[in-house]
Amino acid sequence: MLACRFILFGFWVLFGAFVVPRAIAGDPFVDAVKAVETGANAGFGADKLPRRVFGAPRGRGLLVGSTHVYSLGNGGSITVAFNDNIVIDGPGADLAIYENAFHVGGEEGPLFTEYAIVEVSDDNRTWHRFPFNAETGTGLAGRTAVTSNPANGMNPLDPSSGGDRFDLADLGLEMIRFVRVIDGGSDIPDFGNMVAPGTKGGFDLDAMAAINGSAPANVHGVVSDGGEPVAGARVRLVPLDGSRKKRRFTDSEGRYRFGRVLPVGDHEVRVRVAGVGSATRSAYVDLQQLSAEIDLVLQ
Ligand SMILES: [Ca+2]
Ligand SMILES: [Ca+2]
Ligand SMILES: [Ca+2]
């Protein structure tokens, strides 16, 4: 429990500038680091963020933990986003999180665990926490060794590859884009609380993947007035289920585009240009219809 006293040293560091476009669009893995809260004895792999947590897991089997990780520190957290894909509620588990837990003294030996609480969100504002049992580890991440590695060809989405799996149905959610993992700190008993860890304290994030995923939706079109495109017009996309609104401005040819839209059904697209006019049209996107072209004529 030596590290526990240091938990309060956590602080927020924003990594918005670290967002890197993926070379392969629509890969199942996580695409951006949104925020990091450093816990006690954190830091291993921090200089390699955000790419350190992108791509497939680099598991090393049941007896050895991956070092291709970022260490959150005891009590730390990391918030990540899926950009070219979203996690949807499909059959069974939907989200996989890969840590570097390993068995000590043999494949049947006890696990070296550094548990983390898992929260998910569709807008990076409202968060939903997976229920867990701090004594048994059920519902936490960091409780299964990872065997999949790009070098061995194992499919990381297959349960045989290890990692911890989460079902959005357990929270009654249909889709999410953001995930936050929070090291359990001293509140959750694990081996990580009892070992002086240097910079490798707490939960070690290797990778994260959508097992059940979809491309995000998009809504796009042109704003015009009297047949002429209108540049610089402010367009709002309003999901009618109450989720987060978005705002864009038209380009020099009157075009607007909302990407990374959650395909939650009915939306309204609204535009208003002072002294010129306004327009409102409905737009519909769902998992079967991921794109809507909506032209707006100012009146
Ligand atoms: Ca991705
Ligand atoms: Ca599911
Ligand atoms: Ca670990």
Side-chain angles (χ1 to χ4, degrees), residues 76-87:
S77 72
I78 186 169
T79 303
V80 299
F82 292 91
N83 285 340
D84 58 14
N85 58 318
I86 57 176
V87 186

Side-chain angles (χ1 to χ4, degrees), residues 232-265:
R234 191 181 74 169
V235 182
R236 287 184 297 156
L237 180 69
V238 182
L240 298 190
D241 74 344
S243 56
R244 190 173 180 175
K245 301 170 187 172
K246 292 169 176 271
R247 193 178 72 172
R248 296 285 185 277
F249 289 91
T250 54
D251 68 10
S252 60
E253 295 175 56
R255 296 176 302 201
Y256 72 90
R257 187 177 193 282
F258 295 94
R260 302 177 190 172
V261 174
L262 288 178
V264 291

Side-chain angles (χ1 to χ4, degrees), residues 31 65 69 87 108 122 167 180 199 201 211 213 226 279 281:
D31 301 298
V69 295
V87 186
E108 304 297 322
D122 62 16
D167 190 339
R180 178 186 290 159
T199 63
I211 300 167
R281 285 189 61 191

Side-chain angles (χ1 to χ4, degrees), residues 265-279:
D266 290 309
H267 298 66
E268 275 189 355
V269 192
R270 303 173 187 168
V271 62
R272 176 183 296 275
V273 179
V276 180
S278 63

Side-chain angles (χ1 to χ4, degrees), residues 12-28:
W12 284 98
V13 181
L14 296 177
F15 280 96
F18 283 162
V19 176
V20 177
R22 297 291 306 164
I24 302 169
D27 77 64

Side-chain angles (χ1 to χ4, degrees), residues 192-213:
N193 290 345
M194 296 184 283
V195 176
T199 63
K200 299 181 181 178
F203 183 92
D204 306 285
L205 182 62
D206 180 345
M208 209 179 289
I211 300 167
N212 291 311

